[in-house]
Amino acid sequence: QAQLVVSGGASVHPGGSLRLSCAASGSILSIIRMGWYRHAPGKQRELVAAIFSGGRTNYADSVKGRFTISRDNAKNAVYLQMNSLKPEDTAVYYCNADYLSPSVGLTIVWGQGTQVTVSS
């Protein structure tokens, strides 16, 4: 099966920037979609951004214009560039991938969370 390794979380001041990375490895025929989610205390987990194999992206309204998702298909990696960070962006961020496995077909894998804290 596939595994996702996430990195890049940190504590920053409001207005700062961070770049999250997520790399997939393992038994992967192709990756259909990769996405970033976040889970803040007291809130439901929400989709932050997603990118499809053809390059189409979508974003949560709250991050449009501030966050950018990108993908390196050769490396099976996805990135989330976060600019103009706000305290309300504080959350644990997760990466996931919808991919084709040689053994089970279309399936989903999640990476471990990484903490992003925005405070002054």
Side-chain angles (χ1 to χ4, degrees):
Q1 300 301 317
Q3 301 85 37
L4 299 180
V5 176
V6 178
S7 61
S11 294
V12 297
H13 292 305
S17 297
L18 281 176
R19 185 177 189 243
L20 304 183
S21 299
C22 173
S25 63
S27 299
I28 300 170
L29 293 177
S30 63
I31 297 179
I32 310 303
R33 168 191 177 277
M34 298 187 82
W36 289 97
Y37 291 74
R38 66 186 180 188
H39 191 185
K43 297 184 179 180
Q44 290 189 330
R45 184 171 62 187
E46 64 172 345
L47 174 67
V48 177
I51 185 166
F52 292 80
S53 57
R56 181 170 64 89
T57 59
N58 57 32
Y59 295 90
D61 288 342
S62 58
V63 307
K64 284 180 181 177
R66 300 188 298 121
F67 291 10
T68 302
I69 190 170
S70 61
R71 181 170 168 174
D72 186 334
N73 289 331
K75 296 181 179 180
N76 283 340
V78 65
Y79 310 96
L80 186 68
Q81 178 66 43
M82 305 186 291
N83 299 327
S84 302
L85 283 161
K86 304 176 180 180
E88 51 263 44
D89 294 318
T90 296
V92 178
Y93 284 69
Y94 298 88
C95 170
N96 85 343
D98 300 345
Y99 72 102
L100 286 175
S101 161
S103 58
V104 298
L106 183 62
T107 188
I108 298 173
V109 62
W110 288 85
Q112 84 279 15
T114 188
Q115 177 70 46
V116 171
T117 302
V118 185
S119 69
S120 54

